[in-house]
Amino acid sequence: MSAAEVRFPESLWAAVTPAGPELPQLAGAGQADVVVIGAGFTGLSAALHLREAGVDVAVIEAAEPGWGASGRNNGQVIPTLSRPDPDDIVAKHGAAGERFVAVLRDSANTLFDLARRYQIQAEQEQTGWIQPVHSPGRIKIA
Ligand SMILES: Cc1cc2nc3c(=O)[nH]c(=O)nc-3n(C[C@H](O)[C@H](O)[C@H](O)COP(=O)(O)OP(=O)(O)OC[C@H]3O[C@@H](n4cnc5c(N)ncnc54)[C@H](O)[C@@H]3O)c2cc1C
């Protein structure tokens, strides 16, 4: 039984996921230029990119990496928004909107490239994206 199963026996996700690395418990005082609170996708991505930029960074996690939404979602890598039209975002927010749409557009490739680069074993499959539509309005968005 993994450490996560022992600590959080109610989680199906923990029960079917290979155990993560054993990590040290925070004790006493530590020091880093940047401290990231929370080891979900957001915190780990921030920490990884800071480290790649040469910044001294530490991650503090209350449970274990991926314990929040990042470790218990549907696992779909979807480079779209469910409702807003990218053109509307650019029209409303200008250059910032363009940057946001570009991040969104490239997000799936960014994720899969990162997993390949670091050889992260996440059972990932990059096989394309099917967008079913059921109304004229949805066709416009698709
Ligand atoms: C049911 C469900 C299904 C989803 N399906 C999808 C999907 O298919 N595709 C998709 O792209 N997105 C999906 N999402 C959304 C996606 O999972 C989240 O947007 C994403 O995981 C958020 O990541 P995060 O790092 O911001 O937060 P989290 O993953 O929640 O990470 C926060 C971390 O911070 C830690 N923490 C909190 N407070 C403290 C503290 N005080 N000190 C130390 N640590 C702390 C927590 O333990 C946790 O590990 C889904 C979400 C849910 C809930």
Side-chain angles (χ1 to χ4, degrees):
M1 189 177 268
S2 72
E5 287 173 288
V6 172
R7 277 177 287 154
F8 311 106
E10 75 283 4
S11 170
L12 169 66
W13 281 262
V16 299
T17 303
E22 286 296 326
L23 296 167
Q25 196 162 5
L26 181 64
Q31 195 164 343
D33 290 336
V34 176
V35 176
V36 173
I37 311 290
F41 290 143
T42 308
L44 289 177
S45 178
L48 179 68
H49 289 95
L50 283 165
R51 179 61 65 89
E52 286 180 342
V55 176
D56 173 30
V57 56
V59 180
I60 308 288
E61 167 56 48
E64 67 174 354
W67 179 246
S70 300
R72 49 183 97 217
N73 60 45
N74 301 330
Q76 298 166 339
V77 181
I78 307 169
T80 67
L81 297 172
S82 53
R83 290 194 175 274
D85 183 333
D87 291 341
D88 292 343
I89 294 173
V90 173
K92 188 170 180 187
H93 299 287
E98 276 180 24
R99 287 199 302 276
F100 178 75
V101 169
V103 166
L104 193 66
R105 180 198 62 218
D106 297 338
S107 59
N109 283 339
T110 301
L111 174 70
F112 284 105
D113 286 348
L114 187 126
R116 280 188 283 266
R117 189 151 47 92
Y118 285 95
Q119 299 184 339
I120 297 170
Q121 302 298 317
E123 299 180 0
Q124 63 271 31
E125 289 182 31
Q126 189 173 17
T127 52
W129 168 247
I130 295 170
Q131 177 68 57
V133 294
H134 55 76
S135 69
R138 300 301 295 182
I139 287 176
K140 180 173 175 293
I141 291 174

